[in-house]
Amino acid sequence: MIMESPLQLLRELFPFGQSAAEQKSAAAVRGLLDTVTGLSPQETIAKLAGSVLPSVNAQPNLHMRFKRLEDVRLEAEESLTVLEKLIGCAVLPLPLDAATSALQADNLLKGLAIAYAGIARSIKKSHFNDGLNHLLHRCVLRAMAMISRRQLLAYRAYAVPSSSSWLALHELYQLVRGQLSSPLNGETAPIEHEYLGALLFAYLEPTKLPRAEIDTIYASTRQLAAYALVGEIPAETANGKMADGCFLVRPDEGNPGYSIMRLPSGAPIFGSLLIDCSQVIAALDRNITRRPGKVIDPDLAASPALLQALRLAISGKSARRFSRTRFRPRGDLVSGFGSVLSFLDGNTFSRRSVDAASRYDGRDYTSSEWAMVDESPDGFRLRFIKGEKRNLGAGDLVALQPRESSKIHVCLVRRISSSQIRLEVGLQLMSPQVSVVDIVAGDTADQRAVFLHSLPAYGKFSGLISAPGAFQTGQKIMVKLPGRSLHRQIGTCMEANEGLEFFALDQLPD
């Protein structure tokens, strides 16, 4: 085996004394970058990934290679942002154009991550790494940021990040951290922050959160990552004592880790990292209980309902309340507040021929067909079969009617899992009895809403699902049911998003 000469190794590491070939390579990359001017975002990303990036990787000088990678990253930024927004707003399952854009964006981000990581590994293997720590750390940070962005791209379509992306993230963190048990600091602190940010975002279970809130959640995660800690497994944990908000990461496994609360009995824990999110929970609590005008740190730009959802996820206690029974009937699904109102209001009949005369013909909704994969006392798991694709998101209101049944289940979407071959949703059944009602509130015009006669999962009170901004906590209302009216007061806002608000109702004398 021929060993590299010290002179050749120095030339690869340092930017002085460039050869004519190196200068020609750098000029070629700059020329290729000029060719993307005026292209569409999709064409720009495809060109950068297919032509420019391979030329950059051929640059032998590591400093120059890093500089050219930075040029590619900056050139791609505007186009990546456009494609990310396109994918985040696309219907599910992703249509061909959105799926192609997602694949192109993912390929470029993956290629950039591999290229940055390649420079870091080359420095780590050299005998001059002590003098190149700054470049090493910058490359690791860039590679981790590209991986995190790949994962965020997947979450935008309710897809699960690949196991290889987690393995790469763990490897990069270990590359800098090594076997040391103390946290990173100084120049390496941003690397640990990036790592914790990716882990924390996964722990918040984005596939169970509103799609429209993904950027708000991501921004909040970046703020909260400063409060998470990485450490060794303490003796009390090894002896079986469990803690809320603590997660176990095994760097040799392609996942973000597991909540300590959910670890299988007898699972190996030694050689793992402990991610302590107890102070993250405290930071969320400060935001949830904050008083108007009070300054707190961190100041999260998220609604109280969303903050509560994040707290539940990070505490590790959002486990399923009931076991599920598998079955495979089919049902029709209507989604969106307005469409569900229309579906319930005069269309709540079965598909039996004797009911046809009773149906309301002015359909203001469209339905899609789903396989009911399994069911529990408070929910369903559905798999998309066919029909109009909708921009579904966690927190959306849906109405599910099993085939050959007159029973309609009103649910909220709690989880979405999307891949190239299937789309699945997890639904929470809100109430065993629901009614579309007119709500009288003071001198304002009557509002149509969904009245939930009882809420078994929440407490001994009724609930109301309305359009956003229609009501506010403390407001007295009258619920007009067939043959009777109920007097209630708008209570706590249990959930809110761009499509609906879900309130508890407090009793008033009828």
Side-chain angles (χ1 to χ4, degrees), residues 391-426:
N391 195 344
L392 276 174
D396 283 355
L397 181 69
V398 299
L400 170 67
Q401 184 171 32
R403 291 290 175 92
E404 296 301 324
S405 171
S406 61
K407 180 67 174 177
I408 290 183
H409 306 284
V410 173
C411 308
L412 290 181
V413 178
R414 289 308 188 202
R415 179 186 64 83
I416 300 180
S417 176
S418 176
S419 69
Q420 293 181 342
I421 60 173
R422 69 177 52 162
L423 171 67
E424 291 189 348
V425 298

Side-chain angles (χ1 to χ4, degrees), residues 67-107:
K67 186 177 180 180
R68 296 285 83 83
L69 285 175
E70 291 288 89
D71 292 340
V72 173
R73 182 178 63 84
L74 292 173
E75 184 69 42
E77 181 58 37
E78 184 177 349
S79 296
L80 277 174
T81 301
V82 171
L83 296 190
E84 287 166 340
K85 290 181 178 178
L86 170 69
I87 294 158
C89 296
V91 298
L92 297 174
L94 290 177
L96 180 60
D97 59 339
T100 302
S101 296
L103 181 61
Q104 290 171 338
D106 184 74
N107 284 341

Side-chain angles (χ1 to χ4, degrees), residues 473-477 487-492 504-508:
T473 298
Q475 189 175 9
K476 291 181 173 59
I477 62 170
H487 295 275
R488 295 289 184 269
Q489 179 171 290
I490 300 292
T492 303
L505 294 181
D506 297 332
Q507 289 277 0
L508 287 174

Side-chain angles (χ1 to χ4, degrees), residues 290-470:
R290 70 185 302 176
R291 296 177 181 176
K294 183 180 179 181
V295 178
I296 60 171
D297 190 24
D299 187 357
L300 304 176
S303 66
L306 182 57
L307 291 171
Q308 287 282 10
L310 300 185
R311 191 196 189 285
L312 181 64
I314 206 67
S315 68
K317 294 182 178 180
S318 57
R320 183 176 292 138
R321 296 170 62 236
F322 301 101
S323 60
R324 292 185 178 271
T325 302
R326 298 180 65 84
F327 69 122
R328 290 296 176 90
R330 296 189 178 190
D332 292 314
L333 193 75
V334 175
S335 63
F337 179 74
S339 297
V340 170
L341 280 184
S342 176
F343 182 61
L344 293 174
D345 195 11
N347 290 279
T348 54
F349 299 99
S350 78
R351 282 146 186 76
R352 295 174 302 176
S353 59
V354 294
D355 292 326
S358 304
R359 291 190 191 131
Y360 168 60
D361 291 331
R363 291 172 59 125
D364 297 323
Y365 64 90
T366 55
S367 62
S368 50
E369 184 177 345
W370 297 70
M372 301 171 66
V373 180
D374 56 36
E375 178 185 12
S376 73
D378 69 343
F380 306 90
R381 179 161 65 99
L382 309 182
R383 184 173 298 156
F384 179 78
I385 298 177
K386 64 181 179 180
E388 182 179 347
K389 297 178 180 181
R390 299 297 302 271
N391 195 344
L392 276 174
D396 283 355
L397 181 69
V398 299
L400 170 67
Q401 184 171 32
R403 291 290 175 92
E404 296 301 324
S405 171
S406 61
K407 180 67 174 177
I408 290 183
H409 306 284
V410 173
C411 308
L412 290 181
V413 178
R414 289 308 188 202
R415 179 186 64 83
I416 300 180
S417 176
S418 176
S419 69
Q420 293 181 342
I421 60 173
R422 69 177 52 162
L423 171 67
E424 291 189 348
V425 298
L427 306 180
Q428 179 189 0
L429 181 63
M430 298 306 295
S431 176
Q433 184 180 2
V434 300
S435 301
V436 176
V437 296
D438 287 315
I439 303 294
V440 181
D443 297 328
T444 61
D446 291 2
Q447 296 279 345
R448 298 289 275 170
V450 177
F451 177 63
L452 310 170
H453 293 249
S454 62
L455 295 168
Y458 296 89
K460 295 181 179 180
F461 47 83
S462 55
L464 193 73
I465 297 179
S466 65

